[in-house]
Amino acid sequence: MKDIETRHDIECLLTHFYSQALQDEIIGFIFTDVAKINLKSHLPIVTDFWETLLLGTNSYRGNPMAKHQQLHGMMTLTAVHFDRWLLLFHNAVDELFEGRRATEAKARAQAIATSMYLQIVR
Ligand code: HEM
């Protein structure tokens, strides 16, 4: 297995993650029924986000905290949802990649999920 090296790698990772997340019994409905995301327009945005974090491209110009705060207003997010999100993300990384950036992706996800949880849920 290889490490995460390009934008295309990040697209593969996220396509894999959302293929699991959208049909997940615990968090799937949040994407499909609550936020009703359009994967085609959502994917490039989250790809920019992870590309900025892992490859330093500076392509993401959004505010994830505000987005999830808004989501929390539409349906109460709990630790169960965050734990599930993280498990699916970690699994998606481990199923496709290994190496320094793969490890970094999991660590960043963990750190951001924790700070998101503390800021918007507690
Ligand atoms: C309980 C866990 C989570 C759930 C259920 C969730 C769900 C969602 C949903 C439904 C959206 C679309 C919002 C919209 O466009 O209206 C979204 C956007 C996004 N999420 Fe999450 N999310 C979770 C945790 C995380 C974490 C931990 C991260 C980062 C490590 C993250 C990164 C993002 C990003 C970058 C966007 C795009 C924001 C933008 O449009 O600029 N999410 N999330």
Side-chain angles (χ1 to χ4, degrees):
M1 267 199 286
K2 67 187 217 82
D3 199 2
I4 299 166
E5 276 151 15
T6 63
R7 181 174 177 90
H8 180 252
D9 291 340
I10 294 172
E11 283 164 352
C12 290
L13 167 63
L14 294 172
T15 300
H16 185 48
F17 169 71
Y18 283 103
S19 77
Q20 305 299 310
L22 262 58
Q23 52 174 318
D24 183 71
E25 56 191 321
I26 296 172
I27 60 169
F29 75 100
I30 304 175
F31 296 96
T32 57
D33 299 357
V34 179
K36 298 187 171 70
I37 64 156
N38 173 347
L39 199 54
K40 233 178 141 202
S41 50
H42 181 66
L43 263 180
I45 299 171
V46 283
T47 302
D48 284 345
F49 175 79
W50 282 106
E51 193 187 29
T52 295
L53 289 184
L54 299 175
L55 307 178
T57 53
N58 234 6
S59 45
Y60 179 69
R61 291 272 176 277
N63 184 342
M65 287 300 168
K67 279 275 173 183
H68 295 82
Q69 184 84 64
Q70 217 172 25
L71 189 60
H72 185 57
M74 294 164 76
M75 80 107 335
T76 306
L77 297 173
T78 68
V80 172
H81 300 122
F82 278 94
D83 287 349
R84 188 66 173 188
W85 188 101
L86 267 177
L87 178 71
L88 294 177
F89 189 83
H90 281 216
N91 286 348
V93 173
D94 287 343
E95 279 157 19
L96 297 180
F97 298 101
E98 70 183 2
R100 185 177 65 78
R101 288 206 188 94
T103 301
E104 192 189 336
K106 291 182 282 181
R108 298 295 285 264
Q110 175 82 59
I112 295 164
T114 302
S115 94
M116 212 179 250
Y117 175 77
L118 292 175
Q119 279 186 55
I120 73 175
V121 176
R122 232 181 37 170

